[in-house]
Amino acid sequence: MDGESVMAAEMSLSKLDGRVPTDEPLLEVRDLRTYFETLEGTVRAVDGVSFTIYRGRTLGIVGESGCGKSVTAHSILRIVQRPGRIVGGEIIFHRRRQTAAGVVDEAIDLTRLDPFGREIRSIRGKEIAYIFQEPMASLSPVHTIGHQIIETIQIHENVSRDEARARAIEVCGQVGLPRPHEVIERYPHQLSGGQRQRAFIALALACRPSLLIADEPTTALDVTTEAQILELMKDLQRQYGMAIQFITHNLGVIAEMADDVVVMYLGRQVEQAPVDELFFNPRHPYTRALLRSIPRLGRKTRQRLESIRGMVPDPYSIPAGCAFRTRCPLYRPGVCDDPQWIEVGPNHWVRCNRAME
Ligand SMILES: Nc1ncnc2c1ncn2[C@@H]1O[C@H](COP(=O)(O)OP(=O)(O)O)[C@@H](O)[C@H]1O
Ligand SMILES: [Mg+2]
């Protein structure tokens, strides 16, 4: 077996768990475009991205730094920073609400909501929760962990402070924080990096979201803590049945976490497939290059990691036609001017005109 197949085999074994993924769409992103108009020009940070996140499943989004992963997440949460703006596309969220009359399903286009309005605020943090790389930037330094979790629960749900406090303690226990009734009295700076990320996850899960967006949640952690947090997220997904959008530049982490994968390059998706298929049968030259650059245990220390040749073009001057052409070993003038989004297998899509050769 070559390196890629070994990796895929290891991965399949680690994925034999009790999760119940579904085929029910929860969030459908269609031809999303989010641009930044700056004095130097337009950055097409997200330029026509489409994918579906299913209830109970994990969609991995992978690509090098600057390819538009975070801006995609910010677009869904409607927290894109100025001068960024969603200029096209739809983000359909299939909301399921418990009302007096029973369970009600409704589809809502998040791109049409006022980013500061009541409706997105009732969704963000409750039905769609998020965790980012650096919890210190998202947790308030001047409030205790407990205060922040209790407040989040009370903003979204009509429960008493005592009930909210009991839930805060319960969820801190679920994320593996020791002595949860004491931890909730602490401030973020009094916790270690790993504990802070656990507290941040507790905050995200306090209102039982149907979707958790995790943007590089373990990138700032050491490898042991990273492994623990990834395991924790899988456990919590099994318990809560939530969907996860897992964003990372690290394909090794994708192998651990994702059911389906979207590979992004310069604001566009270049390949999409179920995770085993992507690792066994990568079709885009960029995906192949990413796979070759994964560090692996047991690799001889003198053996250098292969890096992807060439530089990522500057975001103000993305080449016309295939954006990967400047670094692609298969590039051929005339053939690669207008790369098509081609289905090469069941649920396996690739944006490369040379993928079928
Ligand atoms: N405030 C901003 N102004 C201009 N460009 C931005 C801004 N924020 C992000 N971008 C650009 O959008 C692109 C995608 O960024 P991002 O989504 O953060 O990448 P990733 O998360 O994949 O590393 C990059 O080219 C980045 O420079
Ligand atoms: Mg990012």
Side-chain angles (χ1 to χ4, degrees):
M1 277 201 285
D2 63 16
E4 282 161 20
S5 313
V6 170
M7 177 95 193
E10 285 167 0
M11 178 187 65
S12 309
L13 284 177
S14 75
K15 286 174 71 71
L16 290 175
D17 59 31
R19 193 141 31 101
V20 194
T22 73
D23 292 323
E24 236 181 289
L26 175 64
L27 188 91
E28 298 177 84
V29 173
R30 295 282 165 259
D31 200 24
L32 179 67
R33 291 163 201 270
T34 305
Y35 295 176
F36 290 83
E37 299 284 352
T38 71
L39 290 175
E40 294 87 64
T42 302
V43 178
R44 299 170 175 231
V46 178
D47 199 17
V49 165
S50 303
F51 54 78
T52 302
I53 301 175
Y54 295 91
R55 284 186 194 277
R57 287 165 78 115
T58 299
L59 177 72
I61 309 262
V62 68
E64 287 164 291
S65 171
C67 70
K69 304 182 298 293
S70 293
V71 173
T72 303
H74 295 170
S75 303
I76 295 169
L77 293 161
R78 299 302 312 276
I79 55 172
V80 173
Q81 289 184 351
R82 282 161 173 268
R85 209 162 56 85
I86 297 177
V87 298
E90 298 180 329
I91 303 172
I92 307 296
F93 179 51
H94 295 272
R95 205 173 190 196
R96 181 166 291 169
R97 282 196 294 184
Q98 185 70 47
T99 67
V103 177
V104 176
D105 279 335
E106 62 184 2
I108 172 167
D109 183 353
L110 301 181
T111 67
R112 301 196 174 267
L113 301 183
D114 168 6
F116 303 103
R118 203 176 54 85
E119 197 149 27
I120 190 71
R121 279 187 285 126
S122 77
I123 293 172
R124 188 171 53 218
K126 172 165 171 52
E127 292 169 75
I128 304 179
Y130 51 91
I131 48 176
F132 297 138
Q133 180 173 338
E134 188 31 81
M136 265 321 238
S138 309
L139 294 169
S140 160
V142 298
H143 293 109
T144 61
I145 300 296
H147 177 96
Q148 298 181 56
I149 299 177
I150 291 166
E151 186 149 89
T152 301
I153 295 172
Q154 286 200 298
I155 285 171
H156 291 295
E157 294 178 42
N158 187 17
V159 296
S160 72
R161 196 166 175 86
D162 282 349
E163 268 178 81
R165 190 184 144 82
R167 274 254 296 275
I169 292 170
E170 186 193 344
V171 75
C172 282
Q174 280 171 342
V175 300
L177 284 166
R179 291 190 298 281
H181 48 283
E182 288 170 28
V183 161
I184 65 165
E185 307 300 340
R186 302 238 179 92
Y187 292 87
H189 71 266
Q190 295 174 310
L191 304 180
S192 69
Q195 285 178 336
R196 259 199 309 266
Q197 195 56 293
R198 284 177 195 268
F200 194 17
I201 293 173
L203 179 65
L205 297 186
C207 291
R208 315 251 148 99
S210 52
L211 173 62
L212 175 67
I213 298 179
D215 188 352
E216 310 264 9
T218 58
T219 301
L221 304 173
D222 62 79
V223 287
T224 313
T225 313
E226 172 173 59
Q228 290 168 354
I229 296 285
L230 294 179
E231 213 39 62
L232 169 68
M233 289 181 65
K234 285 196 279 191
D235 275 353
L236 293 168
Q237 182 176 46
R238 274 192 290 265
Q239 278 177 45
Y240 286 68
M242 68 193 165
I244 300 179
Q245 181 184 13
F246 198 100
I247 297 173
T248 175
H249 64 279
N250 182 339
L251 264 174
V253 171
I254 287 285
E256 273 300 311
M257 298 301 290
D259 298 303
D260 309 288
V261 188
V262 167
V263 182
M264 284 183 72
Y265 187 73
L266 286 173
R268 312 194 79 183
Q269 65 213 106
V270 295
E271 187 157 9
Q272 178 173 328
V275 67
D276 293 354
E277 170 74 6
L278 190 93
F279 278 82
F280 274 118
N281 190 19
R283 300 297 287 273
H284 199 285
Y286 178 61
T287 312
R288 292 183 180 167
L290 276 182
L291 279 163
R292 282 195 299 272
S293 68
I294 301 179
R296 207 163 289 126
L297 280 176
R299 186 188 286 267
K300 290 198 193 76
T301 45
R302 299 186 69 104
Q303 207 174 330
R304 298 261 316 269
L305 273 178
E306 200 174 327
S307 62
I308 302 175
R309 66 170 200 165
M311 303 266 288
V312 180
D314 122 46
Y316 294 101
S317 44
I318 295 175
C322 177
F324 190 57
R325 66 201 264 175
T326 55
R327 302 165 81 188
C328 185
L330 302 182
Y331 171 65
R332 211 186 272 160
V335 178
C336 301
D337 296 341
D338 184 18
Q340 302 296 305
W341 187 231
I342 307 165
E343 187 165 23
V344 292
N347 300 315
H348 187 172
W349 293 79
V350 62
R351 191 182 308 284
C352 176
N353 290 351
R354 302 209 54 195
M356 298 306 269
E357 291 174 18

